[in-house]
Amino acid sequence: MSDRSTAQRTRRILLLSSLTGDDPEFLRVLNEQGTVRTVANVGEALAALRSETFDVVLTSASDLPPLARAAVRLQTEPIFETIGHGVCLVDDEGRLVWVNQKLSSYPDETVEAVRKACAELYHEFATEPPQPDHQPRSRRRDLSAGEFAFDLTVSPICGPDGQVARVVALLVDVTATRWLQRRIEAIEAAGRELVRLDADAVAEMDVGERLQLLEEKIARYSREL
């Protein structure tokens, strides 16, 4: 057996079932990568992490905020050093209590923009009426910080008195996606402008002049794009 096969066989993977549902093909491929333990919810995941060691934790993005809240109570923050997204905690005074390595890898001004957004959302949570079902309320924001664009999800952490004590934030970097969207929009706009011709002016042109006009438009929009 090759070294790679041995490494895959010994790799331990913790999987929250909400990520896959009943997808047998995903589970088959995952089992080829190592030993998989599947749990049903965040509580079972934390119990497993307390008693065992895992190389990889796989979960859906929607499970990350409640997992982060539970991690604070159980002091299992190192879990969030293994994920590919930024995670942080902000207290009632707008201070960063904890930041994972992913978020701290961004420039200081980006981290500060995240802190400010979390502080603003903390005050929104703290001043709104209590929810009848007492369920945590998450809010999402589009956040631009310098050259970066993020999808920010912020959830409150309530104390024993039911008051919001802190907020936990999950930061997904969507810079490449937003950049691609802007490119697509620019191409669409250029296409519309390319075919927007003055009918009366074009009618007075011969074939060569029309081709020259079209060539000039193509060259101009190609440079802009």
Side-chain angles (χ1 to χ4, degrees), residues 98-141:
W98 177 79
V99 180
N100 75 341
Q101 291 181 4
K102 178 62 177 180
L103 181 53
S104 63
S105 69
Y106 288 98
D108 291 343
E109 57 268 24
T110 301
V111 178
E112 175 62 12
V114 174
R115 184 200 65 77
K116 286 183 178 179
C118 290
E120 292 173 1
L121 286 168
Y122 168 86
H123 288 293
E124 289 187 19
F125 287 129
T127 56
E128 70 181 8
Q131 299 296 307
D133 55 4
H134 302 291
Q135 292 297 314
R137 299 88 61 196
S138 296
R139 292 185 180 173
R140 296 181 64 181
R141 293 286 187 275

Side-chain angles (χ1 to χ4, degrees), residues 45-140:
L46 288 167
L49 288 164
R50 283 199 303 268
S51 59
E52 302 177 47
T53 300
F54 294 91
D55 302 299
V56 181
V57 177
L58 296 178
T59 181
S60 63
S62 61
D63 282 329
L64 283 172
L67 190 57
R69 290 192 295 269
V72 173
R73 293 194 300 270
L74 298 173
Q75 297 183 345
T76 56
E77 288 92 342
I79 299 169
F80 298 99
E81 300 295 356
T82 65
I83 67 175
H85 303 303
V87 181
C88 68
L89 294 170
V90 174
D91 67 11
D92 57 347
E93 296 184 8
R95 298 174 300 191
L96 281 171
V97 177
W98 177 79
V99 180
N100 75 341
Q101 291 181 4
K102 178 62 177 180
L103 181 53
S104 63
S105 69
Y106 288 98
D108 291 343
E109 57 268 24
T110 301
V111 178
E112 175 62 12
V114 174
R115 184 200 65 77
K116 286 183 178 179
C118 290
E120 292 173 1
L121 286 168
Y122 168 86
H123 288 293
E124 289 187 19
F125 287 129
T127 56
E128 70 181 8
Q131 299 296 307
D133 55 4
H134 302 291
Q135 292 297 314
R137 299 88 61 196
S138 296
R139 292 185 180 173
R140 296 181 64 181

Side-chain angles (χ1 to χ4, degrees), residues 14-224:
L14 180 63
L15 172 67
L16 268 76
S17 59
S18 58
L19 180 65
T20 62
D22 297 317
D23 186 348
E25 181 61 19
F26 178 88
L27 293 174
R28 183 190 66 78
V29 173
L30 196 60
N31 275 287
E32 292 177 354
Q33 306 305 311
T35 303
V36 180
R37 176 173 176 183
T38 303
V39 294
N41 52 51
V42 171
E44 290 184 13
L46 288 167
L49 288 164
R50 283 199 303 268
S51 59
E52 302 177 47
T53 300
F54 294 91
D55 302 299
V56 181
V57 177
L58 296 178
T59 181
S60 63
S62 61
D63 282 329
L64 283 172
L67 190 57
R69 290 192 295 269
V72 173
R73 293 194 300 270
L74 298 173
Q75 297 183 345
T76 56
E77 288 92 342
I79 299 169
F80 298 99
E81 300 295 356
T82 65
I83 67 175
H85 303 303
V87 181
C88 68
L89 294 170
V90 174
D91 67 11
D92 57 347
E93 296 184 8
R95 298 174 300 191
L96 281 171
V97 177
W98 177 79
V99 180
N100 75 341
Q101 291 181 4
K102 178 62 177 180
L103 181 53
S104 63
S105 69
Y106 288 98
D108 291 343
E109 57 268 24
T110 301
V111 178
E112 175 62 12
V114 174
R115 184 200 65 77
K116 286 183 178 179
C118 290
E120 292 173 1
L121 286 168
Y122 168 86
H123 288 293
E124 289 187 19
F125 287 129
T127 56
E128 70 181 8
Q131 299 296 307
D133 55 4
H134 302 291
Q135 292 297 314
R137 299 88 61 196
S138 296
R139 292 185 180 173
R140 296 181 64 181
R141 293 286 187 275
D142 292 328
L143 178 65
S144 296
E147 60 183 296
F148 299 102
F150 300 100
D151 182 359
L152 179 68
T153 302
V154 180
S155 301
I157 301 173
C158 297
D161 58 358
Q163 300 299 313
V164 179
R166 296 178 178 179
V167 293
V168 58
L170 169 67
L171 199 70
V172 179
D173 192 331
V174 294
T175 304
T177 303
R178 298 287 168 78
W179 177 85
L180 179 60
Q181 182 61 40
R182 288 195 296 269
R183 294 280 293 177
I184 292 172
E185 291 171 355
I187 291 170
E188 289 178 345
R192 289 192 297 270
E193 289 298 323
L194 191 62
V195 298
R196 186 178 296 164
L197 301 174
D198 186 325
D200 293 334
V202 171
E204 297 177 359
M205 297 178 180
D206 59 27
V207 174
E209 291 173 331
R210 293 176 183 177
L211 288 174
Q212 182 178 358
L213 174 62
L214 186 60
E215 181 181 351
E216 290 173 353
K217 280 179 170 284
I218 292 173
R220 184 170 81 251
Y221 291 120
S222 295
R223 286 195 298 270
E224 292 179 359

